[in-house]
Amino acid sequence: MKKLDQTQTPLFDALMEYVNNNTIPFHVPGHKKGVGMAKKFLDFVGKNVLSMDVTVFQQVDSLHKPTGPIKYAQELAAQAFGADATFFSIHGTSGAIQAMILSVMGENEKIIVPRNIHKSVTSGIILSGAIPVYMQPEIDKNIGVALNVTPETVERTLREHPDAKAVLIINPTYYGVSTDMAKIAEIVHEYGAILMVDEAHGPHLKFNEKLPISAMEAGADICAQSTHKIIGSMTQSSMLHVKGDRIDINRVKQVMSLLQTTSPSYILLASLDVARMQMATEGRELLDKTIELAEYARREINNIKGLYCFGEEIVGRDGAYDFDPTKVTITAKGLGISGHQLEKILAERYYIQPELSDMYNVLCVFSIGDTKEKVDYLLRALREISDELYDENIEIAKPIDIPEIPEQVVSPRYAFGCSTVSLPLRESIGQISAEFLMAYPPGIPVLCPGERITLEIIEYVNKMKEANLSIQGTEDPEVNYIKIVNDRQVLNVIA
């Protein structure tokens, strides 16, 4: 394929032509270029963005059967990101990940995944009927977060499950830790399996050599990216990239069409088009500035008493082959407070909102939209908090060890869809869970649908509750009850 002109933005241009021609809309949406929009919303948003909120017609193309500007915009993206084909997703990376899994996996086929997968991966597994085989990522107990899986872990798991159809890897993790993607790609393909990558937090990797290698460059077959993270598209807009050697691109196209709305937001689609252009033409320079700002923040934070911000020193440990410096993880345990407490102080006192917090840490995601002025304000806030709270005699809480991965009795799909009953946690030991139990930190599910509930898991959950940490996954928001499989046929077989 010839080299395309990455300065072009075909979809955005088509929308601008529609707007500039003062086209009269007798089509949905009903607000008709903002004229029918509620005044307080219109006054804030303005008419510009609403004037390009259109529906499917020839001039702006169809996401489900692109032949014009959307088709060309996706071709430009594929070339920019190093793929054979790229699909725009307006239902986020969660939807793109589900499509990725459904495009490859079928009923009862094995997929090898890290235990710290995003819930969208498990959703894809449930929808496809695939059988997960879990790998435990390495964990850094000092900062209380999961790192990544090693190539050795991947190879050992494939050796134990040579019939696995695919392996899914996270690159990088939420906290910016990457594994040796090129080595893993080589191992996975040697076993005849397909390599999928959840690259939600790495849409920028391709555009600066100071960053870890991107999935497509490393040899992945298919990967989903959150284009709205780090680089400049709008929330809920993402991309799915495919290499055609081992993946049926037409199958991916069908699955994406199956899952996505027939009324896509052209505002989101246009933001993907323009974000790709910006990265392809200015990405290196913009990311140089982002990395420089993040490293400046990291150095300054490490000079504040009671705080720690890990960086390149983590590289070389098991599960940490490389590191994305745009992820700034502030460890607060030296101040005698949790990450949740630090987030609360930053948000309520300083109106600074981090990306997330956990037992020890607050994560700040740096991007092309950050400025030194805003970073200096964050640093000033952190210094004030340290001056107020730091005490060299503070006793630091010890991390709680994660239970072993429990026995998988039935598939996640079966457990999710079968008859269930809700039991108090303390009475559920030995039963088969129909729900998740996920604890933060480090964001690894301790229990997935279809797995046996153990005393160790219940004790772990109770310890996490006592530490006022976040436990999620059950229908019961207080996590006092859990749904279990109540299918007599299954229970009689496994009794």
Side-chain angles (χ1 to χ4, degrees):
M1 186 178 184
K2 69 175 183 178
K3 189 172 182 181
L4 303 177
D5 180 2
Q6 292 291 338
T7 65
Q8 295 187 10
T9 51
L11 179 54
F12 180 74
D13 292 349
L15 290 166
M16 286 300 92
E17 181 183 15
Y18 167 87
V19 171
N20 293 333
N21 286 343
N22 292 318
T23 304
I24 298 171
F26 282 98
H27 58 73
V28 297
H31 63 71
K32 302 294 178 79
K33 295 187 175 181
V35 175
M37 184 63 70
K39 187 175 185 302
K40 64 180 179 181
F41 187 86
L42 176 63
D43 288 347
F44 180 76
V45 174
K47 284 191 174 180
N48 277 357
V49 70
L50 296 174
S51 68
M52 60 188 290
D53 186 18
V54 301
T55 189
V56 179
F57 47 83
Q58 185 175 356
Q59 183 180 357
V60 295
D61 207 1
S62 165
L63 180 63
H64 289 264
K65 192 176 181 181
T67 58
I70 293 178
K71 179 177 184 289
Y72 188 31
Q74 291 185 150
E75 288 171 353
L76 283 160
Q79 193 168 99
F81 286 89
D84 291 339
T86 289
F87 299 91
F88 287 175
S89 170
I90 41 73
H91 60 333
T93 309
S94 294
I97 285 172
Q98 291 166 2
M100 175 168 70
I101 293 170
L102 281 166
S103 297
V104 174
M105 303 304 302
E107 186 94 27
N108 295 323
E109 292 180 326
K110 287 184 183 178
I111 178 171
I112 296 172
V113 296
R115 190 66 177 180
N116 60 328
I117 47 175
H118 187 263
K119 64 181 181 181
S120 61
V121 176
T122 311
S123 300
I125 289 171
I126 289 170
L127 289 170
S128 68
I131 306 298
V133 176
Y134 294 106
M135 302 179 285
Q136 195 68 276
E138 303 298 319
I139 295 173
D140 187 315
K141 292 187 177 181
N142 180 48
I143 54 176
V145 301
L147 302 178
N148 218 312
V149 293
T150 64
E152 291 76 18
T153 297
V154 173
E155 185 161 25
R156 182 175 64 252
T157 312
L158 276 165
R159 195 163 53 242
E160 293 169 357
H161 299 272
D163 56 338
K165 187 175 184 180
V167 175
L168 187 143
I169 299 293
I170 304 166
N171 183 61
T173 66
Y174 219 143
Y175 297 90
V177 182
S178 287
T179 185
D180 188 344
M181 285 299 306
K183 180 65 176 173
I184 287 175
E186 183 182 316
I187 292 167
V188 170
H189 292 152
E190 281 177 1
Y191 277 82
I194 289 167
L195 178 58
M196 305 180 189
V197 180
D198 170 0
E199 203 162 58
H201 299 281
H204 56 309
L205 300 183
K206 171 73 165 58
F207 302 101
N208 194 292
E209 67 279 359
K210 297 172 186 173
L211 299 170
I213 191 170
S214 71
M216 288 288 100
E217 290 176 294
D221 299 301
I222 186 168
C223 96
Q225 292 180 337
S226 295
T227 320
H228 63 271
K229 293 181 173 79
I230 312 297
I231 57 181
S233 72
M234 295 181 72
T235 296
Q236 200 178 310
S237 60
S238 301
M239 296 187 192
L240 182 61
H241 304 296
V242 187
K243 286 283 184 71
D245 294 347
R246 299 174 183 85
I247 302 284
D248 183 346
I249 291 175
N250 285 324
R251 167 71 176 173
V252 179
K253 187 184 298 183
Q254 288 178 329
V255 172
M256 286 293 284
S257 185
L258 181 73
L259 294 178
Q260 299 210 90
T261 175
T262 55
S263 301
S265 166
Y266 280 81
I267 299 167
L268 299 184
L269 292 171
S271 78
L272 285 170
D273 189 23
V274 174
R276 179 272 315 154
M277 179 275 295
Q278 185 182 39
M279 279 294 103
T281 59
E282 306 174 70
R284 183 176 179 180
E285 294 78 13
L286 290 170
L287 289 167
D288 272 343
K289 292 176 183 176
T290 304
I291 293 166
E292 186 179 335
L293 262 182
E295 293 292 22
Y296 162 67
R298 186 170 282 105
R299 287 192 303 271
E300 293 298 315
I301 291 167
N302 281 326
N303 287 324
I304 299 174
K305 290 182 178 179
L307 297 179
Y308 169 62
C309 185
F310 77 85
E312 288 295 330
E313 73 277 6
I314 204 169
V315 174
R317 300 182 195 176
D318 287 346
Y321 179 79
D322 208 345
F323 174 65
D324 173 9
T326 67
K327 309 301 190 296
V328 176
T329 302
I330 305 166
T331 305
K333 64 180 183 179
L335 295 180
I337 59 175
S338 69
H340 300 301
Q341 289 170 305
L342 178 57
E343 179 185 21
K344 185 177 173 67
I345 295 169
L346 286 170
E348 294 181 358
R349 188 187 301 175
Y350 297 96
Y351 301 102
I352 294 170
Q353 183 56 60
E355 172 70 12
L356 64 79
S357 62
D358 59 37
M359 182 175 182
Y360 290 152
N361 311 293
V362 158
L363 173 64
C364 292
V365 176
F366 279 47
S367 77
I368 60 175
D370 286 307
T371 64
K372 188 173 185 297
E373 180 185 19
K374 291 174 183 175
V375 173
D376 282 337
Y377 181 70
L378 168 65
L379 294 171
R380 188 158 65 249
L382 292 171
R383 291 187 187 105
E384 288 180 8
I385 295 167
S386 171
D387 290 343
E388 181 182 324
L389 298 177
Y390 178 71
D391 181 343
E392 61 184 15
N393 297 316
I394 282 173
E395 186 174 339
I396 297 171
K398 294 181 179 178
I400 304 168
D401 288 335
I402 299 170
E404 292 292 318
I405 298 174
E407 173 195 8
Q408 184 174 284
V409 184
V410 296
S411 74
R413 180 177 185 168
Y414 191 93
F416 184 81
C418 73
S419 173
T420 64
V421 65
S422 186
L423 286 184
L425 274 182
R426 64 183 179 276
E427 296 177 18
S428 68
I429 296 168
Q431 302 291 336
I432 305 166
S433 178
E435 295 188 286
F436 295 94
L437 277 175
M438 294 172 285
Y440 293 84
I444 297 175
V446 293
L447 190 66
C448 292
E451 293 179 342
R452 181 90 66 184
I453 302 168
T454 65
L455 174 61
E456 186 185 17
I457 288 170
I458 302 304
E459 289 176 342
Y460 176 81
V461 169
N462 288 333
K463 286 178 184 176
M464 297 295 280
K465 284 183 175 181
E466 288 168 9
N468 293 317
L469 297 175
S470 176
I471 305 290
Q472 301 177 16
T474 56
E475 190 176 283
D476 171 21
E478 303 300 321
V479 198
N480 294 320
Y481 289 81
I482 187 168
K483 284 186 173 180
I484 62 160
V485 170
N486 192 37
D487 188 313
R488 287 186 181 279
Q489 206 170 8
V490 172
L491 297 179
N492 287 337
V493 169
I494 64 175

